[in-house]
Amino acid sequence: MSKKILLCDNLAKNKSNYDVVINWSSCEENENSFSIPKTIEDNADQFKSQYLDWIYTLGRKKVNGKSVIEHLSIREDFSLWWMSLIFEKSQWKSPRIYQVFQLLALELILERLENVGAIDVTVDDKYICSLVKQWCSKHNIVYKNIFLQNRNKIPMSFTGALKRFPHIIRAIGWLVCYSFSRWPKKNLNPDYKFSDEKDAICIVSYFFNLEIDSMNRGVFCTKYWTKLHQVLAKSGKNVNWVHLFEKSDYCPTPKKAVKLVGNLNNNAYIFERHGLIDQSLDIGILVNTLRDYWKLILVSFKLRTVSQNFIAFGSEMDFWTIMSYDWKCSLFGKTAIANCLYLNIFEKVFKNIPKQNQGLYLLENQPWERAMIYAWKKNNHGQIIGAPHTVVSYWDLRHFYSVNEYHENTVNKIPLPDIVALNGDSAVRAYKEYDFPKNRIKNVEALRYLYLKDLPKEKNNTKDASLRLLVIGDCDPVVTNSQIRLLTECLSLMNQSVDILIKPHPLLPINCIDYPDIDFDVTSRSLGELTSKYDIAFASNPTAAAVDIYLSEKKVLVMQSCNTFNMSPLRGYKGVEFVKSAEELAVLLSEFTNNSTMLIDQNFFFLNNELPKWKELLYI
């Protein structure tokens, strides 16, 4: 007898009418139900490799006798494929990536079930429903879309409204707005010249996370590079800083950034110079950008049939419907024109500066980094080093590629740094597990986490004291609200007294008035200063601050979201608990005792305030 399946979201009712229930965005699973999020985690390595191999294959698919990479070769030896959203694999820019993995998990579950005759779907996403319907049609399975009543329609956001405009109009609009806001003003341009000394090092970094006290004294210092600033200053090595402007409270506009850079060049010691990439903007850059963008538009017509190749190896699910936006945006949308602009800017920057012995940049595998590496090498500068400044999470797909990618030896191969400077065993393991070339990996100290070396490890030994809980918020208001809602429900299930201290994300302040059902205090103090103020911590899923808690030998609980990747950098670490419900959180808090000892990875980060590994890498 054939089985009747329900593919449902959390709103579905009458689940008992079905032989098997498949939960699309719930971690609930029992004898007659399967969880898509749990299936993704249980088969993570398989799905991850499957996805990375598909991207590798897509880039080499032949269309009209040429590969996709060759079609997008905007220079003889550089392809804009490497800057596309598809290749970048950022879940923040391309949130529908997770749906690809949900579909792979759904397909795996259905393949394991026998005699599937019908599937009813209550997932509230027309694209997913369309893809499941296609799959059912291929397998002669009856498909039915059950519309749930009383669904609240979400009002369209400003961003959503913009997406309704044609890609080309939005692309040109972006270029106009970007150029208008960042066009160099002659009276503000600092008179700087980059050093041409043989030992010069060029550092490409964001003009963000600035140390305000230092900046007010005319001394450049950031939270990205911390003590490396002082090490470089003492060494006498010539340092040329190339900055990418990012808006912050201290520096809210490009105009203010240019002024600050001018002040730095006037006050800086003799071996240090600063410049913003936007100061290279001119009519020639814009003309070349528009010319390259026009090439992409023409190429997009030749690649119209590429949609037939959006099926991952070993799958029959067609992902074109949910990934077509990223493809179009990369070929003739805002992403396309931005990539053309960055390419032309970096070509000009590295053509005009003296030859640099070494280059160093913040590695996040963002598109501009590909253009920067290409322009750097094209102009015959020296060794280029990429340094991830924070943790490397398992599901941050930007850091990972198909194994085959590293064995290419073509003209248009992926632009990679000569060296990747990794800040701990955790990052090294992550890179080596996906066969990143070992000869390109160097160990360096974790600059942003050096304070952990001397962090006091204190515990509250008073048996009758209230449990002190530190809550680490997220930059996403939806995630933070879910955290506090989960905590509120949890407290109603507990008999124990809990004192709650919330540390919000810097980009998302929290006001006690907004949460009248729960009592808590708010702090902006650093985690290093808070060590003695809490016994156990409850962190949002993606935050890297959870690592700080873990390395301070305090118990850390991490909220597990069931509608996206487990982005926690502590995924897989012993002693770290992932919480999916108020009941789980209540049990873990109630059972907590300070007598337990956390077994931590002592080399999660490499920590040495003298920076011997950095000194060796930079020949200091």
Side-chain angles (χ1 to χ4, degrees):
M1 184 176 177
S2 61
K3 292 185 178 70
K4 190 173 184 181
I5 310 296
L6 174 65
L7 175 62
C8 67
D9 55 21
N10 294 327
L11 299 174
K13 299 177 181 179
N14 302 321
K15 296 182 181 181
S16 59
N17 297 336
Y18 295 87
D19 298 302
V20 176
V21 174
I22 301 176
N23 294 304
W24 180 253
S25 57
S26 167
C27 296
E28 179 184 344
E29 192 171 73
N30 55 45
E31 185 179 2
N32 295 314
S33 69
F34 294 88
S35 165
I36 294 287
K38 189 174 184 303
T39 302
I40 291 173
E41 280 299 309
D42 291 345
N43 299 274
D45 291 341
Q46 173 189 330
F47 292 151
K48 186 175 174 181
S49 295
Q50 194 174 351
Y51 186 71
L52 297 176
D53 288 342
W54 166 68
I55 290 178
Y56 172 84
T57 303
L58 179 63
R60 288 149 185 84
K61 281 291 181 182
K62 296 289 185 178
V63 179
N64 297 325
K66 294 169 64 177
S67 70
V68 170
I69 293 175
E70 291 171 327
H71 277 290
L72 296 178
S73 294
I74 207 159
R75 301 288 184 269
E76 183 179 341
D77 51 353
F78 182 73
S79 173
L80 279 184
W81 165 252
W82 309 120
M83 299 179 75
S84 68
L85 289 171
I86 303 291
F87 187 79
E88 184 182 2
K89 311 177 296 295
S90 168
Q91 70 137 359
W92 295 278
K93 295 180 184 177
S94 308
R96 285 192 174 272
I97 287 178
Y98 185 66
Q99 293 183 337
V100 172
F101 285 80
Q102 286 177 299
L103 289 167
L104 291 174
L106 172 63
E107 189 173 31
L108 182 63
I109 293 171
L110 292 174
E111 287 174 353
R112 292 175 178 176
L113 294 174
E114 296 180 354
N115 300 321
V116 177
I119 299 179
D120 289 354
V121 179
T122 64
V123 177
D124 193 13
D125 188 307
K126 63 180 182 180
Y127 299 111
I128 298 302
C129 291
S130 173
L131 291 175
V132 175
K133 184 178 181 179
Q134 291 177 25
W135 190 90
C136 288
S137 177
K138 291 179 183 178
H139 292 80
N140 297 316
I141 294 172
V142 177
Y143 168 90
K144 185 178 181 182
N145 193 344
I146 302 176
F147 294 94
L148 299 180
Q149 300 298 319
N150 301 321
R151 282 183 172 168
N152 295 322
K153 290 186 177 180
I154 301 175
M156 182 177 293
S157 64
F158 177 72
T159 303
L162 282 179
K163 285 187 176 182
R164 291 181 175 268
F165 282 88
H167 281 285
I168 293 177
I169 292 177
R170 289 165 51 209
I172 299 300
W174 179 88
L175 183 63
V176 171
C177 292
Y178 184 97
S179 303
F180 181 79
S181 65
R182 305 194 183 201
W183 196 261
K185 309 291 192 299
K186 288 186 178 181
N187 60 327
L188 293 177
N189 272 344
D191 182 19
Y192 68 88
K193 292 182 180 180
F194 282 141
S195 171
D196 58 357
E197 295 294 325
K198 291 183 179 180
D199 68 339
I201 179 172
C202 178
I203 303 180
V204 183
S205 184
Y206 295 106
F207 203 67
F208 188 72
N209 256 339
L210 305 171
E211 290 284 1
I212 296 176
D213 291 341
S214 297
M215 292 294 293
N216 288 338
R217 299 194 310 270
V219 177
F220 179 65
C221 190
T222 71
K223 296 175 183 177
Y224 289 123
W225 303 104
T226 63
K227 290 191 177 183
L228 188 62
H229 287 283
Q230 289 75 42
V231 169
L232 288 169
K234 290 179 181 178
S235 72
K237 182 179 283 286
N238 291 273
V239 183
N240 299 316
W241 289 90
V242 176
H243 300 292
L244 286 81
F245 168 75
E246 286 289 336
K247 182 179 178 181
S248 65
D249 291 338
Y250 181 74
C251 185
T253 64
K255 183 177 179 180
K256 177 68 180 292
V258 172
K259 276 190 173 182
L260 288 172
V261 165
N263 292 337
L264 290 173
N265 283 323
N266 291 331
N267 299 327
Y269 74 105
I270 191 171
F271 301 112
E272 185 177 277
R273 290 293 180 268
H274 299 266
L276 290 156
I277 65 166
D278 294 324
Q279 291 172 279
S280 295
L281 269 176
D282 58 21
I283 295 297
I285 290 286
L286 294 185
V287 170
N288 290 338
T289 295
L290 289 170
R291 181 195 62 200
D292 291 338
Y293 177 63
W294 177 246
K295 290 180 184 177
L296 284 181
I297 293 176
L298 296 179
V299 167
S300 68
F301 288 104
K302 298 179 182 179
L303 292 175
R304 282 175 295 182
T305 59
V306 80
S307 60
Q308 302 169 8
N309 298 293
F310 276 67
I311 300 176
F313 177 76
S315 170
E316 294 182 13
M317 289 287 185
D318 187 344
F319 306 131
W320 172 251
T321 303
I322 58 177
M323 300 195 73
S324 59
Y325 178 86
D326 286 352
W327 173 262
K328 293 173 183 177
C329 196
S330 298
L331 258 70
F332 47 85
K334 184 185 77 171
T335 297
I337 206 166
N339 289 342
C340 292
L341 178 66
Y342 280 124
L343 176 60
N344 281 282
I345 285 180
F346 278 114
E347 284 180 321
K348 180 179 178 181
V349 168
F350 291 129
K351 179 181 179 181
N352 292 340
I353 69 173
K355 184 174 180 179
Q356 303 295 293
N357 183 54
Q358 277 185 311
L360 177 63
Y361 71 98
L362 289 175
L363 188 154
E364 295 176 333
N365 287 310
Q366 297 211 46
W368 68 262
E369 298 172 33
R370 311 286 184 214
M372 185 272 297
I373 292 171
Y374 165 73
W376 174 273
K377 293 184 175 181
K378 178 182 178 181
N379 289 284
N380 299 314
H381 294 288
Q383 183 186 60
I384 183 73
I385 303 166
H389 57 94
T390 184
V391 295
V392 177
S393 298
Y394 176 89
W395 281 116
D396 189 350
L397 299 174
R398 297 175 303 173
H399 288 280
F400 306 106
Y401 314 101
S402 168
V403 174
N404 300 314
E405 206 74 72
Y406 304 121
H407 302 299
E408 288 284 324
N409 195 27
T410 58
V411 173
N412 280 315
K413 62 183 179 182
I414 178 176
L416 290 173
D418 299 313
I419 295 294
V420 173
L422 297 177
N423 59 16
D425 278 349
S426 175
V428 171
R429 280 196 301 269
Y431 267 67
K432 286 185 177 179
E433 281 174 3
Y434 279 81
D435 288 322
F436 190 86
K438 294 179 182 179
N439 63 332
R440 290 179 182 246
I441 294 176
K442 294 292 184 182
N443 297 344
V444 294
E445 290 78 16
L447 298 174
R448 294 186 69 176
Y449 299 92
L450 291 173
Y451 77 92
L452 292 170
K453 179 71 174 175
D454 304 313
L455 195 66
K457 299 173 177 61
E458 303 179 30
K459 295 184 179 181
N460 177 21
N461 294 317
T462 305
K463 293 182 180 180
D464 298 328
S466 297
L467 180 65
R468 301 175 302 170
L469 176 66
L470 177 67
V471 179
I472 307 296
D474 197 80
C475 60
D476 185 339
V478 175
V479 175
T480 297
N481 288 335
S482 296
Q483 263 187 287
I484 298 178
R485 184 175 64 252
L486 195 68
L487 187 58
T488 304
E489 295 173 6
C490 160
L491 295 178
S492 68
L493 302 173
M494 295 178 63
N495 296 320
Q496 186 177 1
S497 175
V498 181
D499 293 333
I500 302 171
L501 181 64
I502 296 184
K503 178 175 171 53
H505 192 280
L507 299 179
L508 188 67
I510 292 177
N511 194 325
C512 299
I513 299 175
D514 297 329
Y515 303 97
D517 297 329
I518 184 172
D519 293 326
F520 60 84
D521 294 320
V522 177
T523 183
S524 60
R525 296 170 66 183
S526 70
L527 288 173
E529 297 174 302
L530 294 174
T531 304
S532 62
K533 305 298 182 184
Y534 67 94
D535 306 306
I536 185 171
F538 178 44
S540 63
N541 187 270
T543 181
V547 177
D548 302 54
I549 310 294
Y550 169 78
L551 293 178
S552 66
E553 298 185 12
K554 292 291 186 77
K555 181 71 174 180
V556 56
L557 310 177
V558 180
M559 187 176 74
Q560 173 64 67
S561 174
C562 291
N563 56 9
T564 189
F565 294 109
N566 180 1
M567 296 298 296
S568 173
L570 294 176
R571 177 188 179 276
Y573 277 81
K574 293 181 179 179
V576 179
E577 304 285 351
F578 288 87
V579 179
K580 298 181 284 294
S581 68
E583 290 78 12
E584 285 184 356
L585 182 58
V587 170
L588 290 168
L589 291 178
S590 299
E591 295 179 348
F592 173 76
T593 171
N594 274 295
N595 295 326
S596 59
T597 301
M598 284 289 292
L599 298 176
I600 66 170
D601 180 354
Q602 297 292 343
N603 286 322
F604 190 102
F605 289 128
F606 301 129
L607 302 174
N608 188 323
N609 289 322
E610 299 301 316
L611 306 188
K613 298 180 189 299
W614 273 108
K615 289 177 180 177
E616 180 183 358
L617 180 62
L618 301 179
Y619 305 107
I620 295 175

